[in-house]
Amino acid sequence: MSATAPTNADVAVSGPGLGEPSAPAGGPGRRLSINLRQSGIYVAFALIVLLFSVLTDGALLQPQNISNIVVQNSYVLILAIGMILIIIAGHIDLSAGSVVAVTGAVAAVLMVEHDVPWPLALLITLVVGGLIGAWQGFWIAYFGIPAFIVTLAGMLLFRALTLTVLGNQGIGPFPDPVRTLANGFTEGYLGNVGLGPLGGADLFSLLVGIAAMAGIVLVQWRGRMARLGYQQTVEPLPLFVLKLALAGVVVMTVIVQLARFKNLPWVLILLAGLILAYSLLTSRAVFGRQIYAVGGNLQAATLSGVKVKSVIFWIFVNMGVLSALAGIIFAGRLNQAGPTAGNAFELDAIAAAFIGGAAVQGGVGKVVGAITGGLIMGVINNGMSLMGAPSERVMLVKGAVLLAAVAFDVWTKRRAGASR
Protein backbone atom coordinates (compact mmCIF):
# COMPACT_ATOMS: atom_id res chain seq x y z
CA MET A 1 0.00 0.00 0.00
CA SER A 2 1.25 3.39 -0.90
CA ALA A 3 2.49 5.49 1.97
CA THR A 4 1.24 8.72 0.46
CA ALA A 5 -1.75 10.43 1.97
CA PRO A 6 -4.98 10.39 -0.03
CA THR A 7 -5.52 13.40 -2.27
CA ASN A 8 -8.72 15.14 -3.26
CA ALA A 9 -8.95 12.72 -6.15
CA ASP A 10 -8.94 9.82 -3.70
CA VAL A 11 -11.84 11.39 -1.93
CA ALA A 12 -13.65 11.76 -5.22
CA VAL A 13 -13.10 8.12 -5.99
CA SER A 14 -13.91 6.65 -2.64
CA GLY A 15 -16.26 9.17 -1.17
CA PRO A 16 -17.94 12.45 -1.99
CA GLY A 17 -16.75 14.28 -5.06
CA LEU A 18 -14.70 17.41 -5.36
CA GLY A 19 -16.55 20.44 -4.28
CA GLU A 20 -18.66 18.50 -1.83
CA PRO A 21 -18.29 18.89 1.91
CA SER A 22 -16.23 16.31 3.75
CA ALA A 23 -18.00 14.00 6.14
CA PRO A 24 -17.53 14.91 9.76
CA ALA A 25 -16.42 11.97 11.79
CA GLY A 26 -19.04 10.43 13.96
CA GLY A 27 -22.06 12.01 12.30
CA PRO A 28 -24.46 9.15 11.66
CA GLY A 29 -26.94 11.20 9.67
CA ARG A 30 -24.14 12.52 7.43
CA ARG A 31 -22.75 9.04 6.90
CA LEU A 32 -26.18 7.85 5.84
CA SER A 33 -26.35 10.62 3.22
CA ILE A 34 -22.97 9.69 1.72
CA ASN A 35 -23.73 5.99 1.74
CA LEU A 36 -26.97 6.73 -0.09
CA ARG A 37 -25.05 8.44 -2.90
CA GLN A 38 -22.35 5.78 -3.00
CA SER A 39 -24.58 2.75 -2.80
CA GLY A 40 -27.78 4.02 -4.39
CA ILE A 41 -26.81 2.84 -7.88
CA TYR A 42 -26.10 -0.70 -6.67
CA VAL A 43 -29.35 -0.85 -4.70
CA ALA A 44 -31.23 0.41 -7.76
CA PHE A 45 -29.51 -2.21 -9.94
CA ALA A 46 -30.49 -4.99 -7.53
CA LEU A 47 -34.10 -3.79 -7.42
CA ILE A 48 -34.31 -3.57 -11.24
CA VAL A 49 -32.90 -7.11 -11.60
CA LEU A 50 -35.36 -8.36 -8.97
CA LEU A 51 -38.28 -6.58 -10.67
CA PHE A 52 -37.58 -8.01 -14.13
CA SER A 53 -36.85 -11.46 -12.68
CA VAL A 54 -40.38 -11.48 -11.28
CA LEU A 55 -41.98 -9.97 -14.39
CA THR A 56 -40.25 -12.52 -16.68
CA ASP A 57 -40.88 -15.53 -14.40
CA GLY A 58 -37.16 -15.99 -13.82
CA ALA A 59 -36.17 -15.96 -17.50
CA LEU A 60 -33.92 -12.95 -16.89
CA LEU A 61 -31.54 -14.97 -14.68
CA GLN A 62 -31.35 -18.07 -16.83
CA PRO A 63 -27.73 -18.97 -17.75
CA GLN A 64 -28.14 -18.30 -21.48
CA ASN A 65 -29.86 -14.96 -20.88
CA ILE A 66 -27.15 -13.72 -18.50
CA SER A 67 -24.58 -14.62 -21.13
CA ASN A 68 -26.61 -12.72 -23.73
CA ILE A 69 -26.75 -9.60 -21.55
CA VAL A 70 -22.96 -9.60 -21.17
CA VAL A 71 -22.19 -10.20 -24.86
CA GLN A 72 -24.87 -7.87 -26.25
CA ASN A 73 -23.83 -4.93 -24.09
CA SER A 74 -20.06 -5.42 -24.10
CA TYR A 75 -19.30 -2.68 -26.65
CA VAL A 76 -21.44 -0.10 -24.82
CA LEU A 77 -19.70 -1.00 -21.55
CA ILE A 78 -16.30 -0.50 -23.21
CA LEU A 79 -17.44 2.92 -24.46
CA ALA A 80 -18.79 3.76 -20.98
CA ILE A 81 -15.31 3.30 -19.49
CA GLY A 82 -13.86 5.95 -21.80
CA MET A 83 -16.91 8.18 -21.50
CA ILE A 84 -16.81 8.31 -17.69
CA LEU A 85 -13.25 9.66 -17.80
CA ILE A 86 -14.31 12.40 -20.23
CA ILE A 87 -17.35 13.31 -18.14
CA ILE A 88 -15.30 13.36 -14.93
CA ALA A 89 -13.03 15.89 -16.67
CA GLY A 90 -16.10 18.01 -17.44
CA HIS A 91 -16.43 17.23 -21.16
CA ILE A 92 -18.61 15.07 -23.43
CA ASP A 93 -18.09 12.94 -26.55
CA LEU A 94 -20.90 12.74 -29.10
CA SER A 95 -18.81 11.04 -31.78
CA ALA A 96 -18.21 7.66 -30.11
CA GLY A 97 -20.84 5.82 -32.17
CA SER A 98 -19.49 7.15 -35.45
CA VAL A 99 -15.92 6.25 -34.42
CA VAL A 100 -17.15 2.72 -33.67
CA ALA A 101 -18.55 2.55 -37.20
CA VAL A 102 -15.50 3.92 -39.03
CA THR A 103 -12.99 1.82 -37.09
CA GLY A 104 -15.10 -1.29 -37.67
CA ALA A 105 -15.01 -0.44 -41.38
CA VAL A 106 -11.22 0.01 -41.26
CA ALA A 107 -10.83 -3.39 -39.60
CA ALA A 108 -13.07 -5.02 -42.18
CA VAL A 109 -11.23 -3.48 -45.14
CA LEU A 110 -7.87 -4.57 -43.74
CA MET A 111 -8.83 -8.14 -42.81
CA VAL A 112 -11.40 -9.01 -45.46
CA GLU A 113 -10.42 -7.02 -48.55
CA HIS A 114 -6.63 -6.81 -48.11
CA ASP A 115 -6.02 -10.06 -46.18
CA VAL A 116 -3.93 -8.31 -43.53
CA PRO A 117 -3.19 -10.76 -40.65
CA TRP A 118 -5.78 -10.18 -37.96
CA PRO A 119 -3.34 -9.26 -35.11
CA LEU A 120 -1.74 -6.57 -37.30
CA ALA A 121 -5.15 -5.38 -38.50
CA LEU A 122 -6.39 -5.05 -34.91
CA LEU A 123 -3.29 -3.06 -33.97
CA ILE A 124 -3.69 -0.73 -36.96
CA THR A 125 -7.38 -0.23 -36.12
CA LEU A 126 -6.57 0.71 -32.53
CA VAL A 127 -3.94 3.17 -33.79
CA VAL A 128 -6.52 4.69 -36.14
CA GLY A 129 -8.87 5.08 -33.18
CA GLY A 130 -6.11 6.78 -31.21
CA LEU A 131 -5.40 9.16 -34.09
CA ILE A 132 -9.09 10.05 -34.30
CA GLY A 133 -9.06 10.77 -30.57
CA ALA A 134 -5.91 12.87 -30.99
CA TRP A 135 -7.57 14.87 -33.77
CA GLN A 136 -10.52 15.72 -31.55
CA GLY A 137 -8.42 16.18 -28.44
CA PHE A 138 -6.22 18.73 -30.24
CA TRP A 139 -9.15 20.97 -31.17
CA ILE A 140 -10.62 20.72 -27.67
CA ALA A 141 -7.49 20.99 -25.54
CA TYR A 142 -5.18 23.23 -27.57
CA PHE A 143 -7.60 25.23 -29.77
CA GLY A 144 -10.23 25.80 -27.10
CA ILE A 145 -13.29 24.64 -29.02
CA PRO A 146 -15.92 23.11 -26.70
CA ALA A 147 -15.99 19.30 -26.77
CA PHE A 148 -19.69 19.37 -27.57
CA ILE A 149 -19.01 21.17 -30.88
CA VAL A 150 -15.88 19.21 -31.84
CA THR A 151 -17.42 15.80 -31.20
CA LEU A 152 -20.71 16.82 -32.84
CA ALA A 153 -18.69 17.62 -35.94
CA GLY A 154 -16.83 14.34 -35.47
CA MET A 155 -20.10 12.44 -35.31
CA LEU A 156 -21.01 13.74 -38.78
CA LEU A 157 -17.47 13.51 -40.20
CA PHE A 158 -16.74 9.92 -39.18
CA ARG A 159 -20.20 8.71 -40.17
CA ALA A 160 -19.59 10.25 -43.59
CA LEU A 161 -16.22 8.47 -43.80
CA THR A 162 -17.91 5.18 -42.91
CA LEU A 163 -20.45 5.62 -45.69
CA THR A 164 -17.66 6.56 -48.08
CA VAL A 165 -15.70 3.39 -47.26
CA LEU A 166 -18.61 0.94 -47.09
CA GLY A 167 -21.26 2.54 -49.30
CA ASN A 168 -24.60 0.94 -48.53
CA GLN A 169 -23.29 -2.55 -47.91
CA GLY A 170 -21.48 -4.41 -45.17
CA ILE A 171 -18.07 -6.10 -45.40
CA GLY A 172 -17.46 -9.55 -43.91
CA PRO A 173 -16.96 -12.23 -42.74
CA PHE A 174 -14.27 -11.65 -40.15
CA PRO A 175 -11.55 -14.20 -39.23
CA ASP A 176 -12.48 -16.75 -36.58
CA PRO A 177 -10.26 -15.26 -33.80
CA VAL A 178 -12.05 -11.90 -34.08
CA ARG A 179 -15.46 -13.57 -33.95
CA THR A 180 -14.31 -15.64 -30.99
CA LEU A 181 -13.23 -12.50 -29.14
CA ALA A 182 -16.69 -10.99 -29.64
CA ASN A 183 -18.90 -14.08 -29.32
CA GLY A 184 -16.71 -16.94 -28.10
CA PHE A 185 -16.32 -18.66 -24.73
CA THR A 186 -13.43 -20.13 -22.78
CA GLU A 187 -12.74 -23.83 -23.11
CA GLY A 188 -13.51 -26.30 -20.33
CA TYR A 189 -9.86 -26.63 -19.28
CA LEU A 190 -10.49 -28.47 -15.99
CA GLY A 191 -13.72 -30.30 -16.68
CA ASN A 192 -17.11 -29.83 -15.06
CA VAL A 193 -18.53 -29.96 -11.54
CA GLY A 194 -21.62 -32.11 -11.16
CA LEU A 195 -22.66 -31.28 -7.59
CA GLY A 196 -26.22 -30.12 -6.75
CA PRO A 197 -26.93 -26.59 -7.98
CA LEU A 198 -23.51 -26.54 -9.68
CA GLY A 199 -24.48 -29.44 -11.88
CA GLY A 200 -22.51 -29.21 -15.12
CA ALA A 201 -20.69 -25.99 -14.19
CA ASP A 202 -17.21 -25.47 -15.64
CA LEU A 203 -14.57 -25.76 -12.90
CA PHE A 204 -12.15 -23.29 -14.52
CA SER A 205 -14.86 -20.61 -14.68
CA LEU A 206 -15.72 -21.17 -11.02
CA LEU A 207 -12.05 -20.84 -9.99
CA VAL A 208 -11.77 -17.59 -11.97
CA GLY A 209 -14.85 -16.27 -10.18
CA ILE A 210 -13.47 -17.23 -6.76
CA ALA A 211 -10.13 -15.58 -7.58
CA ALA A 212 -11.91 -12.42 -8.75
CA MET A 213 -13.99 -12.26 -5.58
CA ALA A 214 -10.90 -12.81 -3.42
CA GLY A 215 -9.23 -9.91 -5.22
CA ILE A 216 -12.22 -7.65 -4.61
CA VAL A 217 -12.25 -8.50 -0.90
CA LEU A 218 -8.50 -7.87 -0.62
CA VAL A 219 -8.66 -4.49 -2.36
CA GLN A 220 -11.65 -3.35 -0.27
CA TRP A 221 -10.03 -4.48 2.98
CA ARG A 222 -6.74 -2.73 2.19
CA GLY A 223 -8.66 0.43 1.28
CA ARG A 224 -10.51 0.30 4.60
CA MET A 225 -7.30 -0.22 6.55
CA ALA A 226 -5.67 2.71 4.72
CA ARG A 227 -8.56 5.05 5.60
CA LEU A 228 -8.41 3.94 9.21
CA GLY A 229 -4.67 4.58 9.16
CA TYR A 230 -5.34 8.18 8.06
CA GLN A 231 -8.08 8.47 10.71
CA GLN A 232 -10.81 8.88 8.10
CA THR A 233 -14.41 7.89 8.74
CA VAL A 234 -15.29 4.37 7.60
CA GLU A 235 -18.52 2.44 7.69
CA PRO A 236 -19.15 0.03 10.60
CA LEU A 237 -17.46 -3.36 10.21
CA PRO A 238 -20.74 -5.38 10.12
CA LEU A 239 -22.04 -3.18 7.27
CA PHE A 240 -18.71 -3.50 5.45
CA VAL A 241 -18.84 -7.30 5.75
CA LEU A 242 -22.50 -7.39 4.70
CA LYS A 243 -21.78 -5.36 1.55
CA LEU A 244 -18.90 -7.65 0.58
CA ALA A 245 -21.05 -10.72 1.25
CA LEU A 246 -23.82 -9.38 -0.98
CA ALA A 247 -21.31 -8.53 -3.71
CA GLY A 248 -19.88 -12.05 -3.42
CA VAL A 249 -23.30 -13.63 -3.77
CA VAL A 250 -24.06 -11.57 -6.88
CA VAL A 251 -20.67 -12.20 -8.54
CA MET A 252 -20.67 -15.94 -7.84
CA THR A 253 -24.31 -16.31 -8.92
CA VAL A 254 -23.46 -14.76 -12.29
CA ILE A 255 -20.29 -16.87 -12.63
CA VAL A 256 -22.11 -20.12 -11.76
CA GLN A 257 -24.84 -19.37 -14.29
CA LEU A 258 -22.27 -18.59 -16.98
CA ALA A 259 -20.29 -21.72 -16.08
CA ARG A 260 -23.42 -23.81 -16.51
CA PHE A 261 -24.03 -22.40 -20.01
CA LYS A 262 -20.96 -22.14 -22.24
CA ASN A 263 -18.33 -20.97 -19.71
CA LEU A 264 -16.99 -17.40 -19.55
CA PRO A 265 -17.38 -15.17 -22.61
CA TRP A 266 -13.96 -13.94 -23.79
CA VAL A 267 -15.37 -10.43 -24.01
CA LEU A 268 -16.25 -10.62 -20.29
CA ILE A 269 -12.61 -11.42 -19.50
CA LEU A 270 -11.56 -8.46 -21.66
CA LEU A 271 -14.04 -6.23 -19.84
CA ALA A 272 -12.83 -7.41 -16.43
CA GLY A 273 -9.27 -6.52 -17.41
CA LEU A 274 -10.34 -3.06 -18.59
CA ILE A 275 -12.38 -2.40 -15.44
CA LEU A 276 -9.46 -3.41 -13.23
CA ALA A 277 -6.94 -1.35 -15.22
CA TYR A 278 -9.05 1.80 -15.38
CA SER A 279 -10.15 1.52 -11.75
CA LEU A 280 -6.49 1.45 -10.75
CA LEU A 281 -5.77 4.35 -13.12
CA THR A 282 -8.47 6.56 -11.59
CA SER A 283 -7.78 5.66 -7.97
CA ARG A 284 -4.02 5.05 -7.80
CA ALA A 285 -2.29 6.83 -10.69
CA VAL A 286 -1.35 10.50 -10.77
CA PHE A 287 -2.98 10.90 -14.19
CA GLY A 288 -6.28 9.58 -12.82
CA ARG A 289 -6.18 12.03 -9.93
CA GLN A 290 -5.47 14.85 -12.37
CA ILE A 291 -8.62 13.96 -14.32
CA TYR A 292 -10.69 14.44 -11.15
CA ALA A 293 -8.83 17.65 -10.38
CA VAL A 294 -9.52 19.10 -13.85
CA GLY A 295 -13.21 18.26 -13.66
CA GLY A 296 -13.65 19.24 -10.02
CA ASN A 297 -12.04 22.68 -10.14
CA LEU A 298 -10.28 23.70 -13.35
CA GLN A 299 -8.76 26.88 -11.92
CA ALA A 300 -7.40 25.12 -8.84
CA ALA A 301 -5.98 22.34 -11.00
CA THR A 302 -4.21 24.88 -13.21
CA LEU A 303 -2.78 26.74 -10.23
CA SER A 304 -1.64 23.41 -8.76
CA GLY A 305 0.51 22.73 -11.79
CA VAL A 306 -1.67 20.17 -13.52
CA LYS A 307 -1.08 20.18 -17.28
CA VAL A 308 -4.75 20.59 -18.06
CA LYS A 309 -4.43 20.64 -21.84
CA SER A 310 -2.37 17.45 -21.83
CA VAL A 311 -4.85 15.67 -19.57
CA ILE A 312 -7.78 16.61 -21.79
CA PHE A 313 -5.89 15.64 -24.95
CA TRP A 314 -5.01 12.18 -23.65
CA ILE A 315 -8.47 11.30 -22.34
CA PHE A 316 -9.81 11.89 -25.86
CA VAL A 317 -7.01 9.76 -27.33
CA ASN A 318 -8.01 7.07 -24.85
CA MET A 319 -11.65 7.43 -25.89
CA GLY A 320 -10.67 6.95 -29.53
CA VAL A 321 -8.76 3.74 -28.74
CA LEU A 322 -11.64 2.32 -26.68
CA SER A 323 -14.10 3.27 -29.44
CA ALA A 324 -11.94 1.37 -31.92
CA LEU A 325 -11.90 -1.65 -29.60
CA ALA A 326 -15.69 -1.43 -29.31
CA GLY A 327 -15.90 -1.16 -33.11
CA ILE A 328 -13.88 -4.37 -33.52
CA ILE A 329 -16.03 -6.21 -30.94
CA PHE A 330 -19.28 -5.01 -32.52
CA ALA A 331 -18.20 -5.87 -36.07
CA GLY A 332 -16.90 -9.25 -34.91
CA ARG A 333 -20.16 -10.03 -33.15
CA LEU A 334 -22.20 -9.25 -36.29
CA ASN A 335 -19.47 -10.82 -38.46
CA GLN A 336 -19.52 -7.78 -40.72
CA ALA A 337 -18.92 -4.04 -40.63
CA GLY A 338 -22.04 -2.10 -41.62
CA PRO A 339 -22.67 1.58 -42.45
CA THR A 340 -25.22 1.94 -39.64
CA ALA A 341 -23.02 0.39 -36.95
CA GLY A 342 -22.75 2.32 -33.71
CA ASN A 343 -25.89 4.41 -34.18
CA ALA A 344 -26.74 6.07 -30.84
CA PHE A 345 -24.00 4.13 -29.00
CA GLU A 346 -22.66 7.43 -27.65
CA LEU A 347 -26.03 8.15 -26.05
CA ASP A 348 -26.04 4.76 -24.31
CA ALA A 349 -22.49 5.35 -23.06
CA ILE A 350 -23.36 8.83 -21.78
CA ALA A 351 -26.51 7.49 -20.11
CA ALA A 352 -24.50 4.68 -18.49
CA ALA A 353 -22.04 7.20 -17.03
CA PHE A 354 -24.72 9.48 -15.59
CA ILE A 355 -26.87 6.62 -14.29
CA GLY A 356 -23.70 5.23 -12.72
CA GLY A 357 -23.20 8.33 -10.60
CA ALA A 358 -21.22 10.80 -12.73
CA ALA A 359 -21.92 14.43 -11.87
CA VAL A 360 -23.23 16.80 -14.52
CA GLN A 361 -20.60 19.41 -13.56
CA GLY A 362 -17.72 16.90 -13.68
CA GLY A 363 -15.24 15.87 -10.99
CA VAL A 364 -17.26 12.89 -9.76
CA GLY A 365 -17.72 9.36 -11.05
CA LYS A 366 -16.36 5.84 -10.95
CA VAL A 367 -15.54 3.28 -13.62
CA VAL A 368 -17.47 0.62 -11.71
CA GLY A 369 -20.42 3.00 -11.46
CA ALA A 370 -20.46 3.53 -15.24
CA ILE A 371 -20.35 -0.24 -15.79
CA THR A 372 -23.25 -0.66 -13.36
CA GLY A 373 -25.15 2.06 -15.18
CA GLY A 374 -24.54 0.29 -18.49
CA LEU A 375 -25.75 -2.99 -17.02
CA ILE A 376 -28.91 -1.27 -15.76
CA MET A 377 -29.62 -0.13 -19.31
CA GLY A 378 -28.84 -3.63 -20.59
CA VAL A 379 -31.13 -5.33 -18.06
CA ILE A 380 -33.95 -2.92 -18.91
CA ASN A 381 -33.47 -3.62 -22.63
CA ASN A 382 -33.28 -7.36 -22.11
CA GLY A 383 -36.08 -7.61 -19.54
CA MET A 384 -38.55 -5.59 -21.61
CA SER A 385 -37.59 -7.56 -24.70
CA LEU A 386 -38.40 -10.80 -22.86
CA MET A 387 -41.75 -9.26 -21.92
CA GLY A 388 -42.42 -8.42 -25.57
CA ALA A 389 -42.52 -4.66 -24.95
CA PRO A 390 -42.37 -2.43 -28.07
CA SER A 391 -39.23 -0.37 -28.66
CA GLU A 392 -40.96 2.93 -27.88
CA ARG A 393 -41.83 1.69 -24.40
CA VAL A 394 -38.23 0.60 -23.85
CA MET A 395 -37.01 4.09 -24.80
CA LEU A 396 -39.62 5.62 -22.49
CA VAL A 397 -38.38 3.60 -19.51
CA LYS A 398 -34.69 4.22 -20.28
CA GLY A 399 -35.34 7.96 -20.58
CA ALA A 400 -37.18 7.98 -17.25
CA VAL A 401 -34.32 6.10 -15.56
CA LEU A 402 -31.75 8.57 -16.94
CA LEU A 403 -33.78 11.57 -15.80
CA ALA A 404 -34.23 10.02 -12.35
CA ALA A 405 -30.48 9.40 -12.05
CA VAL A 406 -29.55 12.99 -12.91
CA ALA A 407 -32.33 14.36 -10.69
CA PHE A 408 -30.94 12.26 -7.83
CA ASP A 409 -27.48 13.73 -8.43
CA VAL A 410 -28.84 17.28 -8.35
CA TRP A 411 -30.95 16.54 -5.26
CA THR A 412 -28.00 15.14 -3.31
CA LYS A 413 -25.92 18.22 -4.16
CA ARG A 414 -28.64 20.61 -3.02
CA ARG A 415 -29.16 18.57 0.14
CA ALA A 416 -25.44 18.69 0.85
CA GLY A 417 -25.39 22.45 0.23
CA ALA A 418 -28.38 23.04 2.52
CA SER A 419 -26.74 21.13 5.36
CA ARG A 420 -23.57 23.28 5.35
Side-chain angles (χ1 to χ4, degrees):
M1 179 63 62
S2 170
T4 58
T7 65
N8 286 345
D10 291 320
V11 179
V13 173
S14 60
L18 290 174
E20 297 176 48
S22 300
R30 185 65 183 153
R31 284 201 300 270
L32 178 62
S33 171
I34 292 175
N35 287 337
L36 179 64
R37 179 161 189 176
Q38 285 185 326
S39 307
I41 181 65
Y42 307 112
V43 174
F45 181 50
L47 292 176
I48 289 172
V49 170
L50 179 63
L51 173 65
F52 281 106
S53 297
V54 173
L55 293 178
T56 59
D57 296 326
L60 182 80
L61 296 180
Q62 290 300 310
Q64 181 174 355
N65 196 58
I66 291 178
S67 180
N68 288 341
I69 292 175
V70 172
V71 174
Q72 291 172 358
N73 293 280
S74 56
Y75 30 89
V76 173
L77 298 180
I78 292 172
L79 291 177
I81 293 174
M83 192 66 76
I84 188 69
L85 299 186
I86 288 178
I87 291 176
I88 289 172
H91 294 277
I92 199 78
D93 186 353
L94 299 179
S95 67
S98 296
V99 178
V100 166
V102 74
T103 51
V106 169
V109 168
L110 291 173
M111 284 184 265
V112 178
E113 293 192 346
H114 297 284
D115 295 323
V116 176
W118 68 268
L120 178 60
L122 294 189
L123 180 61
I124 293 174
T125 304
L126 294 178
V127 171
V128 169
L131 291 175
I132 290 174
W135 164 264
Q136 301 195 116
F138 168 78
W139 291 110
I140 296 166
Y142 295 103
F143 213 76
I145 301 177
F148 177 84
I149 301 299
V150 173
T151 56
L152 179 61
M155 180 175 68
L156 300 173
L157 175 63
F158 300 122
R159 182 63 63 183
L161 285 177
T162 305
L163 292 170
T164 301
V165 172
L166 297 179
N168 291 320
Q169 59 184 9
I171 297 179
F174 279 82
D176 287 343
V178 178
R179 284 187 286 164
T180 299
L181 176 63
N183 281 327
F185 299 84
T186 58
E187 300 291 337
Y189 302 109
L190 301 176
N192 297 68
V193 179
L195 300 175
L198 300 180
D202 174 56
L203 179 58
F204 177 76
S205 301
L206 296 178
L207 292 177
V208 170
I210 292 172
M213 197 57 227
I216 293 173
V217 171
L218 178 62
V219 169
Q220 292 296 318
W221 179 257
R222 291 184 64 179
R224 177 185 174 86
M225 290 298 103
R227 293 189 189 97
L228 285 174
Y230 291 116
Q231 298 183 340
Q232 295 179 351
T233 302
V234 297
E235 58 198 359
L237 183 61
L239 179 59
F240 175 77
V241 173
L242 177 62
K243 288 171 66 175
L244 282 180
L246 290 176
V249 169
V250 172
V251 170
M252 289 311 300
T253 299
V254 171
I255 293 295
V256 168
Q257 293 292 70
L258 292 173
R260 292 174 60 196
F261 179 52
K262 290 183 179 178
N263 306 338
L264 298 178
W266 279 111
V267 73
L268 176 61
I269 296 176
L270 173 64
L271 260 175
L274 289 174
I275 293 170
L276 176 62
Y278 280 92
S279 294
L280 290 175
L281 171 73
T282 53
S283 61
R284 304 288 181 186
V286 173
F287 181 74
R289 295 171 180 177
Q290 290 177 339
I291 296 174
Y292 283 97
V294 170
N297 190 324
L298 180 60
Q299 187 176 10
T302 304
L303 293 174
S304 300
V306 175
K307 297 180 179 177
V308 174
K309 293 180 179 178
S310 176
V311 171
I312 295 173
F313 175 81
W314 284 109
I315 60 173
F316 276 93
V317 172
N318 174 73
M319 186 70 206
V321 173
L322 289 179
S323 297
L325 180 59
I328 293 168
I329 299 293
F330 185 69
R333 178 171 174 268
L334 299 182
N335 203 20
Q336 73 168 8
T340 60
N343 269 340
F345 280 10
E346 63 277 352
L347 301 183
D348 285 338
I350 293 169
F354 283 121
I355 292 173
V360 178
Q361 294 83 2
V364 177
K366 286 183 177 180
V367 171
V368 174
I371 294 296
T372 307
L375 288 175
I376 286 178
M377 302 282 282
V379 168
I380 292 174
N381 271 331
N382 184 270
M384 297 194 73
S385 174
L386 291 174
M387 294 167 58
S391 59
E392 62 269 21
R393 196 175 302 168
V394 176
M395 287 190 286
L396 179 69
V397 172
K398 288 167 65 178
V401 170
L402 175 60
L403 181 61
V406 176
F408 177 75
D409 173 64
V410 173
W411 175 73
T412 53
K413 279 189 173 60
R414 289 179 178 173
R415 191 162 176 262
S419 64
R420 289 176 183 175

